[in-house]
Protein backbone atom coordinates (compact mmCIF):
# COMPACT_ATOMS: atom_id res chain seq x y z
CA UNK A 1 0.00 0.00 0.00
CA UNK A 2 1.24 3.49 -0.76
CA UNK A 3 -0.28 6.15 1.43
CA UNK A 4 -2.43 8.96 0.16
CA UNK A 5 -0.90 12.36 0.77
CA UNK A 6 -2.58 14.79 3.14
CA UNK A 7 -1.90 18.04 1.34
CA UNK A 8 -1.57 20.85 3.88
CA UNK A 9 -0.62 23.36 1.23
CA UNK A 10 -3.82 22.75 -0.74
CA UNK A 11 -6.07 22.79 2.34
CA UNK A 12 -4.37 25.92 3.55
CA UNK A 13 -4.97 27.63 0.20
CA UNK A 14 -8.62 26.59 0.24
CA UNK A 15 -9.13 27.92 3.78
CA UNK A 16 -7.42 31.21 2.93
CA UNK A 17 -9.75 31.63 -0.07
CA UNK A 18 -12.66 31.25 2.35
CA UNK A 19 -11.20 33.95 4.61
CA UNK A 20 -11.74 36.60 1.92
CA UNK A 21 -15.51 36.68 2.35
CA UNK A 22 -15.18 36.87 6.14
CA UNK A 23 -12.69 39.75 5.93
CA UNK A 24 -15.01 41.48 3.43
CA UNK A 25 -17.97 41.14 5.80
CA UNK A 26 -15.94 42.55 8.70
CA UNK A 27 -14.61 45.48 6.67
CA UNK A 28 -18.15 46.26 5.48
CA UNK A 29 -19.07 46.66 9.15
CA UNK A 30 -16.12 48.95 9.82
CA UNK A 31 -13.73 46.38 11.29
CA UNK A 32 -10.37 45.56 9.71
CA UNK A 33 -9.00 42.48 11.48
CA UNK A 34 -5.59 43.18 13.00
CA UNK A 35 -2.80 40.97 14.33
CA UNK A 36 0.14 42.30 16.37
CA UNK A 37 3.31 40.23 16.25
CA UNK A 38 5.99 40.99 18.83
CA UNK A 39 9.55 39.87 18.20
CA UNK A 40 12.13 40.42 20.94
CA UNK A 41 15.74 40.07 19.80
CA UNK A 42 17.30 38.95 16.57
CA UNK A 43 16.88 35.16 16.33
CA UNK A 44 17.17 34.46 12.54
CA UNK A 45 14.65 31.59 12.59
CA UNK A 46 12.17 33.74 14.54
CA UNK A 47 12.63 36.54 12.01
CA UNK A 48 11.67 34.13 9.21
CA UNK A 49 8.60 32.88 11.12
CA UNK A 50 7.47 36.44 11.86
CA UNK A 51 8.02 37.40 8.22
CA UNK A 52 5.82 34.48 7.11
CA UNK A 53 3.05 35.48 9.50
CA UNK A 54 3.11 39.12 8.40
CA UNK A 55 3.05 38.05 4.72
CA UNK A 56 0.11 35.70 5.34
CA UNK A 57 -1.78 38.55 7.04
CA UNK A 58 -1.26 40.79 4.02
CA UNK A 59 -2.45 38.07 1.63
CA UNK A 60 -5.63 37.57 3.64
CA UNK A 61 -6.50 41.24 4.18
CA UNK A 62 -5.55 41.21 7.86
CA UNK A 63 -3.70 44.31 9.07
CA UNK A 64 -0.43 43.38 10.76
CA UNK A 65 1.41 45.34 13.41
CA UNK A 66 5.00 44.14 13.50
CA UNK A 67 6.69 45.20 16.75
CA UNK A 68 10.43 44.47 16.76
CA UNK A 69 12.07 45.07 20.14
CA UNK A 70 15.82 44.85 20.80
CA UNK A 71 17.12 41.71 22.58
CA UNK A 72 17.94 43.67 25.75
CA UNK A 73 14.40 45.06 26.15
CA UNK A 74 13.31 44.90 29.80
CA UNK A 75 10.53 42.50 30.75
CA UNK A 76 8.56 45.50 32.07
CA UNK A 77 8.75 47.14 28.64
CA UNK A 78 7.44 44.01 26.93
CA UNK A 79 4.59 43.90 29.45
CA UNK A 80 3.83 47.58 28.81
CA UNK A 81 3.74 46.92 25.05
CA UNK A 82 1.26 44.10 25.61
CA UNK A 83 -0.90 46.29 27.86
CA UNK A 84 -1.02 48.91 25.11
CA UNK A 85 -2.02 46.31 22.49
CA UNK A 86 -4.61 44.77 24.83
CA UNK A 87 -6.32 48.17 24.97
CA UNK A 88 -6.05 48.91 21.24
CA UNK A 89 -9.38 48.19 19.45
CA UNK A 90 -7.57 47.88 16.09
CA UNK A 91 -5.71 44.82 17.40
CA UNK A 92 -7.68 41.56 17.56
CA UNK A 93 -4.81 39.16 18.04
CA UNK A 94 -1.48 39.41 19.87
CA UNK A 95 1.33 36.97 19.30
CA UNK A 96 4.71 36.84 21.02
CA UNK A 97 7.26 35.03 18.91
CA UNK A 98 8.98 32.39 21.06
CA UNK A 99 11.61 31.80 22.31
CA UNK A 100 12.07 34.98 24.32
CA UNK A 101 15.52 36.09 25.58
CA UNK A 102 16.42 34.33 28.87
CA UNK A 103 16.01 37.46 31.07
CA UNK A 104 12.27 37.55 30.21
CA UNK A 105 9.79 35.27 31.98
CA UNK A 106 7.89 33.74 29.06
CA UNK A 107 5.00 32.51 31.19
CA UNK A 108 4.48 35.96 32.70
CA UNK A 109 4.46 37.54 29.25
CA UNK A 110 1.98 35.01 27.83
CA UNK A 111 -0.36 35.50 30.80
CA UNK A 112 -0.29 39.27 30.20
CA UNK A 113 -2.02 38.88 26.82
CA UNK A 114 -5.78 39.42 27.05
CA UNK A 115 -7.53 36.06 26.67
CA UNK A 116 -9.76 37.83 24.12
CA UNK A 117 -6.70 38.40 21.90
CA UNK A 118 -4.72 35.23 22.66
CA UNK A 119 -4.82 33.92 19.09
CA UNK A 120 -1.88 31.56 19.70
CA UNK A 121 -3.96 29.89 22.43
CA UNK A 122 -1.07 29.81 24.92
CA UNK A 123 -2.72 31.76 27.79
CA UNK A 124 -3.56 29.57 30.78
CA UNK A 125 -7.28 30.32 30.26
CA UNK A 126 -7.17 28.86 26.77
CA UNK A 127 -4.95 25.95 27.85
CA UNK A 128 -7.39 25.19 30.66
CA UNK A 129 -10.24 25.46 28.17
CA UNK A 130 -8.74 22.57 26.26
CA UNK A 131 -8.93 20.37 29.34
CA UNK A 132 -12.69 20.82 29.59
CA UNK A 133 -13.22 20.78 25.82
CA UNK A 134 -14.11 24.42 25.52
CA UNK A 135 -11.59 27.06 24.56
CA UNK A 136 -11.76 30.42 22.81
CA UNK A 137 -8.68 29.97 20.63
CA UNK A 138 -7.29 26.48 19.99
CA UNK A 139 -3.49 26.55 19.57
CA UNK A 140 -2.64 26.86 15.89
CA UNK A 141 -0.50 23.78 15.14
CA UNK A 142 -2.77 21.16 16.78
CA UNK A 143 -5.80 22.97 15.37
CA UNK A 144 -4.30 22.63 11.89
CA UNK A 145 -3.55 18.94 12.47
CA UNK A 146 -7.17 18.39 13.49
CA UNK A 147 -8.39 19.86 10.20
CA UNK A 148 -5.87 17.79 8.23
CA UNK A 149 -7.17 14.66 9.94
CA UNK A 150 -10.73 15.67 9.02
CA UNK A 151 -9.79 15.70 5.31
CA UNK A 152 -9.16 11.94 5.51
CA UNK A 153 -12.82 11.43 6.45
CA UNK A 154 -11.78 9.50 9.55
CA UNK A 155 -13.87 9.61 12.69
CA UNK A 156 -11.29 9.68 15.46
CA UNK A 157 -13.76 8.48 18.13
CA UNK A 158 -12.53 5.21 19.58
CA UNK A 159 -9.32 5.22 17.54
CA UNK A 160 -5.93 4.62 19.14
CA UNK A 161 -4.06 7.91 18.77
CA UNK A 162 -0.40 8.08 19.76
CA UNK A 163 1.16 11.53 20.07
CA UNK A 164 4.96 11.50 20.15
CA UNK A 165 6.10 14.72 21.84
CA UNK A 166 4.63 16.36 24.92
CA UNK A 167 5.42 20.05 24.54
CA UNK A 168 3.00 22.69 25.77
CA UNK A 169 2.51 24.09 22.27
CA UNK A 170 2.06 20.90 20.23
CA UNK A 171 1.98 17.49 21.93
CA UNK A 172 -0.10 18.19 25.04
CA UNK A 173 -2.81 20.35 23.39
CA UNK A 174 -2.96 17.89 20.49
CA UNK A 175 -3.62 15.02 22.88
CA UNK A 176 -6.32 16.99 24.72
CA UNK A 177 -8.10 17.96 21.50
CA UNK A 178 -8.28 14.38 20.29
CA UNK A 179 -9.32 13.11 23.71
CA UNK A 180 -12.19 15.59 23.44
CA UNK A 181 -13.09 13.88 20.18
CA UNK A 182 -13.25 10.60 22.07
CA UNK A 183 -10.03 9.05 20.78
CA UNK A 184 -8.00 6.80 23.07
CA UNK A 185 -4.86 8.87 23.43
CA UNK A 186 -1.33 7.92 24.45
CA UNK A 187 1.34 10.61 24.85
CA UNK A 188 5.00 9.63 24.46
CA UNK A 189 8.06 11.75 25.20
CA UNK A 190 11.84 11.51 25.45
CA UNK A 191 11.66 9.32 28.57
CA UNK A 192 9.14 6.86 27.11
CA UNK A 193 10.63 3.35 27.20
CA UNK A 194 10.40 1.35 23.97
CA UNK A 195 8.65 3.97 21.86
CA UNK A 196 7.85 1.41 19.14
CA UNK A 197 5.70 -0.64 21.51
CA UNK A 198 3.33 2.35 21.68
CA UNK A 199 3.53 3.65 18.10
CA UNK A 200 2.81 0.24 16.57
CA UNK A 201 -0.67 0.30 18.16
CA UNK A 202 -1.57 3.69 16.67
CA UNK A 203 -4.43 4.00 14.21
CA UNK A 204 -3.39 7.64 14.08
CA UNK A 205 0.24 8.54 14.79
CA UNK A 206 1.12 12.20 15.35
CA UNK A 207 4.81 12.96 15.69
CA UNK A 208 6.14 16.25 17.10
CA UNK A 209 9.55 15.49 18.63
CA UNK A 210 11.99 17.44 16.45
CA UNK A 211 14.10 14.32 15.76
CA UNK A 212 14.68 13.46 12.09
CA UNK A 213 14.23 9.78 11.27
CA UNK A 214 12.66 9.00 14.65
CA UNK A 215 9.77 7.02 13.17
CA UNK A 216 10.72 4.16 10.84
CA UNK A 217 8.34 1.70 9.10
CA UNK A 218 8.73 -1.07 11.74
CA UNK A 219 7.18 1.32 14.28
CA UNK A 220 4.03 1.93 12.23
CA UNK A 221 0.87 -0.17 12.03
CA UNK A 222 -0.23 -1.17 8.53
CA UNK A 223 -2.84 1.36 7.34
CA UNK A 224 -2.17 3.96 10.03
CA UNK A 225 -2.66 7.69 9.45
CA UNK A 226 0.66 9.43 10.06
CA UNK A 227 0.93 13.16 10.75
CA UNK A 228 4.46 14.54 10.87
CA UNK A 229 4.69 17.87 12.71
CA UNK A 230 8.50 17.88 12.92
CA UNK A 231 10.56 20.44 11.04
CA UNK A 232 14.29 19.67 10.99
CA UNK A 233 16.99 21.25 8.86
CA UNK A 234 19.68 18.72 7.91
CA UNK A 235 23.36 19.57 7.45
CA UNK A 236 22.85 19.53 3.66
CA UNK A 237 20.13 22.17 4.00
CA UNK A 238 17.16 19.86 3.38
CA UNK A 239 14.07 20.27 5.56
CA UNK A 240 12.66 16.97 6.84
CA UNK A 241 10.15 15.86 9.44
CA UNK A 242 10.51 13.27 12.22
CA UNK A 243 9.17 10.43 10.08
CA UNK A 244 11.09 8.38 7.50
CA UNK A 245 8.64 9.49 4.83
CA UNK A 246 9.77 7.17 1.99
CA UNK A 247 9.66 4.07 4.16
CA UNK A 248 6.54 4.86 6.19
CA UNK A 249 4.42 5.88 3.19
CA UNK A 250 4.52 2.24 2.08
CA UNK A 251 2.72 1.19 5.28
CA UNK A 252 0.47 4.13 6.10
CA UNK A 253 -2.95 4.81 4.57
CA UNK A 254 -2.49 8.58 4.78
CA UNK A 255 0.61 10.67 5.48
CA UNK A 256 1.62 14.34 5.63
CA UNK A 257 4.73 15.40 3.73
CA UNK A 258 7.37 17.77 5.12
CA UNK A 259 7.37 20.42 3.85
CA UNK A 260 3.81 20.94 2.64
CA UNK A 261 1.90 19.17 5.43
CA UNK A 262 1.36 20.67 8.86
CA UNK A 263 3.62 23.73 8.34
CA UNK A 264 1.34 25.78 6.06
CA UNK A 265 -1.66 25.01 8.29
CA UNK A 266 -0.14 26.59 11.40
CA UNK A 267 -0.05 30.09 9.94
CA UNK A 268 -3.47 29.61 8.35
CA UNK A 269 -4.98 28.71 11.72
CA UNK A 270 -3.39 31.83 13.20
CA UNK A 271 -5.29 33.89 10.64
CA UNK A 272 -8.45 31.86 11.38
CA UNK A 273 -8.12 32.67 15.09
CA UNK A 274 -7.51 36.35 14.33
CA UNK A 275 -10.64 36.52 12.16
CA UNK A 276 -12.62 34.73 14.85
CA UNK A 277 -11.38 37.25 17.39
CA UNK A 278 -12.39 40.19 15.17
CA UNK A 279 -15.83 38.63 14.59
CA UNK A 280 -16.19 38.05 18.31
CA UNK A 281 -15.20 41.66 19.11
CA UNK A 282 -17.73 42.94 16.61
CA UNK A 283 -20.45 40.72 18.06
CA UNK A 284 -19.66 41.95 21.55
CA UNK A 285 -19.75 45.56 20.36
CA UNK A 286 -23.07 45.06 18.58
CA UNK A 287 -24.70 43.35 21.53
CA UNK A 288 -22.89 45.52 24.05
CA UNK A 289 -22.30 42.25 25.86
CA UNK A 290 -18.85 42.31 27.37
CA UNK A 291 -19.65 39.13 29.25
CA UNK A 292 -19.69 37.18 26.00
CA UNK A 293 -17.39 34.38 27.04
CA UNK A 294 -19.26 31.85 25.01
CA UNK A 295 -16.48 29.76 23.57
CA UNK A 296 -16.65 27.47 20.57
CA UNK A 297 -16.67 23.84 21.56
CA UNK A 298 -13.80 22.06 19.84
CA UNK A 299 -15.87 19.08 18.89
CA UNK A 300 -17.26 19.53 15.43
CA UNK A 301 -16.17 23.05 14.56
P1 LIG B 1 9.89 20.66 21.92
O1 LIG B 1 9.34 21.71 22.80
O2 LIG B 1 11.36 20.48 21.80
O3 LIG B 1 9.27 19.27 22.40
C1 LIG B 1 9.67 18.06 21.84
C2 LIG B 1 8.95 16.93 22.50
O4 LIG B 1 9.39 15.71 21.91
C3 LIG B 1 9.25 16.83 24.00
O5 LIG B 1 8.06 16.48 24.69
C4 LIG B 1 10.26 15.69 24.08
O6 LIG B 1 10.18 14.92 25.26
C5 LIG B 1 9.84 14.81 22.92
N1 LIG B 1 10.93 14.02 22.38
C6 LIG B 1 12.18 14.42 22.07
N2 LIG B 1 12.91 13.37 21.65
C7 LIG B 1 12.11 12.29 21.69
C8 LIG B 1 12.29 10.93 21.41
N3 LIG B 1 13.46 10.45 20.98
N4 LIG B 1 11.25 10.10 21.58
C9 LIG B 1 10.06 10.55 22.02
N5 LIG B 1 9.82 11.84 22.30
C10 LIG B 1 10.85 12.69 22.15
O7 LIG B 1 9.36 20.81 20.44
P2 LIG B 1 7.97 21.38 19.84
O8 LIG B 1 7.98 22.85 19.93
O9 LIG B 1 6.84 20.60 20.39
O10 LIG B 1 8.18 20.98 18.31
C11 LIG B 1 8.37 19.65 17.91
C12 LIG B 1 8.73 19.60 16.44
O11 LIG B 1 7.65 20.16 15.70
C13 LIG B 1 9.96 20.44 16.06
O12 LIG B 1 10.59 19.83 14.97
C14 LIG B 1 9.35 21.75 15.61
O13 LIG B 1 10.18 22.44 14.70
C15 LIG B 1 8.10 21.27 14.96
N6 LIG B 1 7.03 22.25 14.93
C16 LIG B 1 6.39 22.38 13.75
C17 LIG B 1 5.34 23.25 13.65
C18 LIG B 1 4.64 23.36 12.34
O14 LIG B 1 3.96 24.33 12.11
N7 LIG B 1 4.78 22.36 11.46
C19 LIG B 1 4.92 24.01 14.74
C20 LIG B 1 5.57 23.82 15.96
C21 LIG B 1 6.63 22.92 16.04
P3 LIG B 1 10.47 15.53 26.73
O15 LIG B 1 9.23 16.31 27.05
O16 LIG B 1 10.60 14.32 27.59
O17 LIG B 1 11.69 16.36 26.61
Amino acid sequence: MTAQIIDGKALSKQLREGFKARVGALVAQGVTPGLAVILVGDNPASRVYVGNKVKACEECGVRSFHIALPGDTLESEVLATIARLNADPAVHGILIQLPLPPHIDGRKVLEAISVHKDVDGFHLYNVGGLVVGNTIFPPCTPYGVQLLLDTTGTDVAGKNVVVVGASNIVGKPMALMLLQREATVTICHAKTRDLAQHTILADILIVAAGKPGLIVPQMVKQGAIVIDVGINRLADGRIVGDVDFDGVKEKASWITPVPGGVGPMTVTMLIENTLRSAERALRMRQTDDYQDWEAPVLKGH
Side-chain angles (χ1 to χ4, degrees):
M1 173 197 286
T2 298
Q4 298 188 68
I5 301 296
I6 306 175
D7 188 343
K9 220 169 146 184
L11 178 59
S12 190
K13 192 162 173 250
Q14 187 190 324
L15 290 168
R16 289 185 193 195
E17 279 299 313
F19 291 163
K20 285 184 188 157
R22 288 168 67 190
V23 171
L26 281 163
V27 170
Q29 294 174 88
V31 175
T32 301
L35 174 68
V37 183
I38 304 172
L39 174 64
V40 187
D42 203 23
N43 179 322
S46 293
R47 265 212 319 265
V48 172
Y49 292 139
V50 166
N52 288 342
K53 288 166 189 171
V54 168
K55 189 163 159 257
C57 283
E58 278 164 16
E59 280 170 16
C60 296
V62 171
R63 186 190 296 162
S64 64
F65 303 86
H66 181 188
I67 295 140
L69 300 173
D72 60 357
T73 304
L74 295 175
E75 184 182 278
S76 56
E77 292 174 59
V78 178
L79 294 173
T81 303
I82 292 170
R84 178 174 60 75
L85 296 168
N86 280 343
D88 185 343
V91 173
H92 303 99
I94 303 171
L95 177 154
I96 307 278
Q97 187 62 45
L98 300 175
L100 284 164
H103 68 279
I104 296 176
D105 179 346
R107 205 62 252 175
K108 202 166 163 186
V109 166
L110 291 175
E111 296 334 327
I113 296 175
S114 160
V115 293
H116 297 280
K117 300 190 179 187
D118 175 38
V119 288
D120 247 346
F122 294 162
H123 189 286
L124 277 183
Y125 179 91
N126 277 313
V127 176
L130 286 176
V131 176
V132 292
N134 195 335
T135 193
I136 305 174
F137 301 112
C140 301
T141 300
Y143 191 12
V145 170
Q146 188 174 279
L147 295 198
L148 288 170
L149 276 174
D150 287 345
T151 66
T152 68
T154 306
D155 179 5
V156 300
K159 297 281 189 309
N160 285 342
V161 173
V162 176
V163 180
V164 180
S167 71
N168 289 337
I169 63 168
V170 188
K172 284 183 202 161
M174 186 77 254
L176 287 166
M177 281 170 155
L178 294 174
L179 180 62
Q180 185 60 28
R181 287 187 158 201
E182 298 172 315
T184 302
V185 183
T186 302
I187 311 181
C188 301
H189 45 79
K191 297 216 169 57
T192 297
R193 275 178 281 162
D194 192 0
L195 182 62
Q197 136 193 308
H198 298 280
T199 59
I200 197 73
L201 296 177
D203 302 310
I204 298 169
L205 178 60
I206 299 171
V207 192
K211 298 282 177 257
L214 179 66
I215 303 297
V216 293
Q218 305 86 282
M219 299 167 78
V220 177
K221 181 176 170 180
Q222 192 76 41
I225 297 175
V226 179
I227 307 279
D228 191 352
V229 182
I231 301 177
N232 309 289
R233 184 180 287 277
L234 301 183
D236 63 9
R238 275 185 306 138
I239 302 285
V240 298
D242 294 347
V243 175
D244 164 15
F245 180 83
D246 290 335
V248 169
K249 80 174 182 342
E250 299 307 323
K251 273 187 104 174
S253 57
W254 291 89
I255 191 167
T256 56
V258 178
V262 177
M265 290 297 288
T266 297
V267 180
T268 299
M269 301 330 289
L270 175 67
I271 305 289
E272 159 69 34
N273 279 348
T274 304
L275 294 187
R276 183 181 300 162
S277 179
E279 288 160 352
R280 208 170 161 266
L282 180 65
R283 210 167 52 239
M284 281 198 263
R285 203 175 73 192
Q286 286 169 341
T287 57
D288 202 24
D289 181 4
Y290 296 99
Q291 301 306 309
D292 182 7
W293 284 81
E294 183 200 356
V297 178
L298 279 175
K299 209 180 202 180
H301 90 99

